[in-house]
Amino acid sequence: MFLLLLATVVGIALTWMVVSIIRNRATVAKLDKQLTNFTVIPSVPVLGSAFHFKDPTPEGIFATFTGFHRKYGRNLITQSLFNFPSMQICDPKVIEQVMQARTIEKTIIYDFMMPWLGSGLVVSTGSKWAQRRKIITPTFHFKILEDFLVIMNHQTDVLIEKLQKNTTGKDFDLYEHVTYCALDIISESAMGVKLNTQIQPNSEYVKAVKEISDIILKRLFSFLREYKWAFQFTKAHQRQEELLKVVHGFAHQVISERKKQLQDARERQRAQEKLEEDDIYGKRRMTLLDLLLNVEIDGKPLTDSEIREEVDTFMFAGHDTTTSCISFAAYYLSRDAAIQQRVYDEIQCIVGPDAKSQELTYGTLQELKYLDMVIKETLRINPSVPIIGRRSAGDMLIDGVTIPKGMDFGIIIYALHNDPELYPDPKRFDPERFSEEASAKRQPYSYIPFSVGSRNCIGQRYAMLEVKTMLVKLLANYRFLPCEESNQLRIKTDMTLKPVNGTFVKIVPR
């Protein structure tokens, strides 16, 4: 009886698999015929396009993934396990159609983030996303950003002092130092809590973030990516559970500390009939975490878990993306003395001869036009978020062709920004690509480092202020020199673009 039952189950599974493969391959063939601007990447039955991925490391996966566009074109149809189709695009015209579609939602990679980030702003959809976005948007008003600059200035000064020990003429990894500085900035400005990780590095949290991100990437390119239930039986799932305890514990620590500070402030206010501001408040307005702790939705406050979702999201996104941009920019400047000198001259002209110790203001940073071009060029070559995903929530049109519900789209920002037709000699670092004249001629949707549309990055102005502040102070105090050939930049991706082994430079005092 058992053998008969087993044979029946196996027979049903095999039948389902065969039917799925036939149906999926028929869908691919139909799309290939209708979408003349798309190319089907060579595939095999069952495994689909997966046989192309010979190197299973994050660096190898990224190189293969982005290499498809150099080999096969801008718009591709790929196939996962059982030949399930998806689309991989870096054509500005097609990107525009996808991002403006009304029947579009986030794709499977965001499902993989949910154990970590819950249904916070990055992952949530529909009314919940709209609600959270509305709550959080005031935190990034430029008046509040001006106040955050006090923190950005102070923490960058700590970074400058720490880097003094690296002025030996030897290569060192700037990425790690910038990581802790960015973590201190986001925790104090957005959460109102001083972590002092530059002084006492919390390597456990940073390492946990990196490892969880690697697990998410490997799931995205796994044979079983469409079968999320299978993940719970893997060693990676067990490891992820251990790592989640670290990152969630870190978020709860931040929330608990801020709650205590607010309670202490209320007690002082009752005792003195006014709020006695200390250095954590200064003249600042309410932080993101304060808003979350005080807001009510339908008459109810957010639960600790709901608050943690947003804290996890902003702690991750607020330090990881800016770290990559700052360290990559320093790397490229170290390899082009002329561009670095021009940035330094602009700093001296606008900030002044006391730029080393000058308190940077919002207005001053806005005047640094060439530095702005340098940052934009850095984000072109190495966009902090190199891939975003979308899924058709209903029938939609691409090039006049109906795309079925459930189709995944990978928008490959890295390939878009390194397309030689859009950016000739794309590997050359050339800030002039972002002069006013060149920008006016740029094709729409051909430069989207902060995504585009209603779900663009809510923190992009915050990020640009932080990147500018750090780069101004770094360049005012140090001259960057190129690293040795053995330490040249190599990149990989998980949820953000990162260096494989670090971002190495040499520095000398100015």
Side-chain angles (χ1 to χ4, degrees), residues 42-159:
S43 64
V44 295
V46 184
L47 297 182
S49 312
F51 73 93
H52 292 281
F53 293 89
K54 304 294 193 297
D55 182 350
T57 65
E59 181 182 12
I61 290 172
F62 184 65
T64 302
F65 194 63
T66 55
F68 285 154
H69 291 282
R70 290 191 295 273
K71 189 171 183 179
Y72 299 110
R74 286 179 168 180
N75 305 313
L76 309 174
I77 299 174
T78 62
Q79 298 169 58
S80 57
L81 186 64
F82 303 140
N83 301 92
F84 192 88
S86 60
M87 294 184 174
Q88 185 172 314
I89 57 177
C90 65
D91 182 337
K93 293 181 180 178
V94 178
I95 291 173
E96 181 176 7
Q97 294 175 71
V98 171
M99 298 304 283
Q100 289 191 347
R102 293 184 178 180
T103 54
I104 202 75
E105 60 187 14
K106 295 222 166 179
T107 190
I108 195 167
I109 186 173
Y110 300 94
D111 296 339
F112 297 159
M113 295 180 191
M114 289 190 73
W116 173 16
L117 303 181
S119 54
L121 194 63
V122 168
V123 179
S124 60
T125 58
S127 60
K128 181 174 181 178
W129 169 82
Q131 213 170 44
R132 293 286 177 90
R133 179 96 179 195
K134 184 178 180 180
I135 292 169
I136 293 169
T137 294
T139 311
F140 297 99
H141 188 277
F142 79 94
K143 283 293 184 183
I144 296 179
L145 292 178
E146 283 184 317
D147 295 331
F148 288 166
L149 267 171
V150 175
I151 295 166
M152 294 177 183
N153 275 282
H154 169 70
Q155 294 296 348
T156 305
D157 288 340
V158 175
L159 172 66

Side-chain angles (χ1 to χ4, degrees), residues 151-170:
I151 295 166
M152 294 177 183
N153 275 282
H154 169 70
Q155 294 296 348
T156 305
D157 288 340
V158 175
L159 172 66
I160 298 302
E161 185 176 350
K162 280 193 67 183
L163 291 181
Q164 287 179 2
K165 64 182 180 181
N166 295 104
T167 58
T168 59
K170 295 181 180 179

Side-chain angles (χ1 to χ4, degrees), residues 432-463:
E432 292 298 330
R433 299 181 202 269
F434 293 92
S435 65
E436 288 187 15
E437 182 180 358
S439 296
K441 297 177 181 177
R442 185 167 301 111
Q443 185 176 344
Y445 290 84
S446 62
Y447 181 72
I448 52 172
F450 295 103
S451 188
V452 67
S454 62
R455 295 199 66 139
N456 65 350
C457 175
I458 193 173
Q460 59 183 286
R461 289 195 298 179
Y462 175 98

